[in-house]
Amino acid sequence: MASDKELIIVASPLTGDAYYAEAASDIFDFHVAYGQAVLEFDDFLVLTDAAQYDAYVRALGEDHVAIAPQDDIWMRDFSLSNAENPVMFRYTAAGQGGGRKGQRDADHVQEGLAETMEAAGVRFADSDLLNDGGNYVDDYHGRVVISRKFLVDNGLSEAAARAVIRKSTGTEHVAFIEADEQGGLEHADGVVAFIEPGILVVNSYPEDPDYAAALKADLRAGLPGVEIHEIVTPYDGSEIYDDKFGSACGLYTNMLVTPERIYLPQFGIPEDAQAMSQVRALTDKNVVPVRSDTVCYMGGGVRCMSWQVRGANAKALKAWASKASKP
């Protein structure tokens, strides 16, 4: 794998998983379309079970599929944050529906991935802090945006949280924001995205100017000198898979950003072209469209489903995947 290639990893739902049964074909179609888009430029790996292995291999090729069943599909949240200096936060109960059972389920999901990483020889730092990967939006140059749910989950003031995040991740500047929807996941990656170091795009909120103003004030307070640009936001919550998680339809901020490319969600609507134009005007990176309308109603898409891996960890995972058991 070339040094400038990102390894993007997704996980299929387990065969027979009742929760994902109605969406299983939509998830498969998204994975295949996403993988085909990625493989023109970067590397892609699907973690799946034996029953689905052949279908993924037919679509993407044997080199891009490994039998390593995971207990959930939203890999961003329970995998490693920051591909260059990876750290594993403790996956929160909210990602599994909340409450004590949710935390037990979240720990189980994350432990399953930890076993895969151990088998592959992946290196990373551990943190006892509760946080989902979807609530860690960074630019790899010392700036990160996190929603204030982090403060509640960890019982910390902003000052204490900023200090502990700096210590555990090496981040220099931290902006705490209010999520645009309270309750549930409250992830920052449905609100903001770094497209370049120090350059943020944020959702537009024409119907809630007070929230938009507060969001920008929080970002400027936590990230000195940050450049902020609004992006078109045709949010569509008309179809929702699970009321606990809302919808990600129309949220272009849920993009996946690499050093060379941006994988931008597209929803089959007129605003897609406008979003592409807006992002391309702000970066020299290659902006790659990825249709996400088959899964956005579940509450996520391009970024939410993706674990990003670089460097030695990417090489270790590719080597492990090439030797992983086949059916």
Side-chain angles (χ1 to χ4, degrees), residues 24-41:
S25 62
D26 287 342
I27 295 167
F28 178 83
D29 291 344
F30 171 76
H31 282 166
V32 170
Y34 186 18
Q36 290 171 343
V38 167
L39 287 170
E40 290 190 40
F41 310 100

Side-chain angles (χ1 to χ4, degrees), residues 205-229:
Y205 297 93
E207 296 179 358
D208 194 349
D210 291 341
Y211 173 79
L215 171 64
K216 293 173 185 176
D218 283 337
L219 292 169
R220 292 189 177 107
L223 307 173
V226 71
E227 190 176 313
I228 302 171
H229 300 270

